[in-house]
Amino acid sequence: MKLKDKVAIVTGGSKGIGWGVATVFAQQGAKVSVVARDAKAGEQTAEEIRDKGGEAIFIPCDISNEEEVKAMVATTIDAFGQIDILVNNAGVGVYKSVLDTTSEEWDRCLAIDLKGAFLCSKYTIPHMQAIGKGVIINMSSVHSHATVNSVAPYAASKGGMTALTRNMAIDYGPTIRVNAIAPGWVWTPLIENLFNSYDNPVHQRELVEKRQVMKRLGTPEDIGNAAAFLASDEASFITGTQLFVDGGLTSVLEESW
Ligand code: NAP
């Protein structure tokens, strides 16, 4: 087991990619704090992990709220005694151009997708320093690298996530390793809702699948497996970088002739 007896916080661990990370981490022996706002989905994920013999608790927390983040970190310490791994995964999508985005929408996107990672890191890092080790994984996106029309707040927050990754790696290395994962298209409630906004969601999914080098969408477990590797001692010389888990998406310059 790659993560035996490690303690991990996974924000947005109730659904989608975070669910995949929490599930794979538990399979690899980690004790997991599943963090999200909706208690029903969060409790369900923690219970699912425990039913399969893993260790997990659900902690309700809005990661854009500093007091709730402080309490979430304290609850993890009370439950498990230490924190070895933080996965800053929770995020929302605001897919609009600058002219179409209200300042409230901009603030909400940046508050969850970027400031949330800052807050969770700020209150977790001292606990990692106390035990002399730690790993942080930030869930960025292919949009941090190259993007499409009308995703301005989201792309800006993900670019910030990648930059924050490098900075924290420098500031807190060698004690703490910090890396980002940039997923491509991954089948989650976020993407299901996006496809559902089209007249023919099934056709939309097929169009996207066809454009991928791997001819499929990623699964939450694909990202969970990459995160487990980065969190493990096998990645002990990897810090300050970003791993693309995108089925080849960012290797494509234009459609093949
Ligand atoms: P998702 O299916 O919508 O799940 C999002 C998770 O984040 C849920 O558990 C949600 O639970 C939690 N969350 C949202 N806002 C929160 C807040 N303020 N405080 C605490 N938890 C919050 O999204 P996903 O597709 O799994 O995406 C996860 C991450 O991967 C995001 O950062 C996203 O940008 C990134 N990503 C996704 C894809 C993709 O194709 N799916 C691609 C690239 C990057 P509650 O709503 O209950 O709080």
Side-chain angles (χ1 to χ4, degrees), residues 29-47:
K31 302 168 192 176
V32 184
S33 286
V34 173
V35 174
R37 294 165 301 178
D38 172 34
K40 195 166 169 236
E43 292 287 9
Q44 197 178 316
T45 298
E47 204 177 306

Side-chain angles (χ1 to χ4, degrees), residues 59 68-80 83 123 127:
I59 309 178
E68 289 188 28
V69 169
K70 277 190 210 174
M72 177 275 287
V73 171
T75 304
T76 300
I77 291 293
D78 283 349
F80 298 129
I83 303 168
Y123 291 103
H127 292 286

Side-chain angles (χ1 to χ4, degrees), residues 15-17 187-194:
K15 294 181 201 157
I17 288 176
W187 182 245
T188 67
L190 181 84
I191 297 304
E192 192 173 4
N193 289 339
L194 180 69

Side-chain angles (χ1 to χ4, degrees), residues 74-93:
T75 304
T76 300
I77 291 293
D78 283 349
F80 298 129
Q82 64 185 64
I83 303 168
D84 301 278
I85 305 162
L86 166 66
V87 184
N88 286 314
N89 162 79
V92 292

Side-chain angles (χ1 to χ4, degrees), residues 130-154:
I131 57 170
K133 64 188 166 90
V135 178
I136 298 176
I137 297 169
N138 291 328
M139 208 54 71
S140 182
S141 163
V142 288
H143 289 278
S144 67
H145 168 78
T147 192
V148 295
N149 62 296
S150 299
V151 292
Y154 184 73

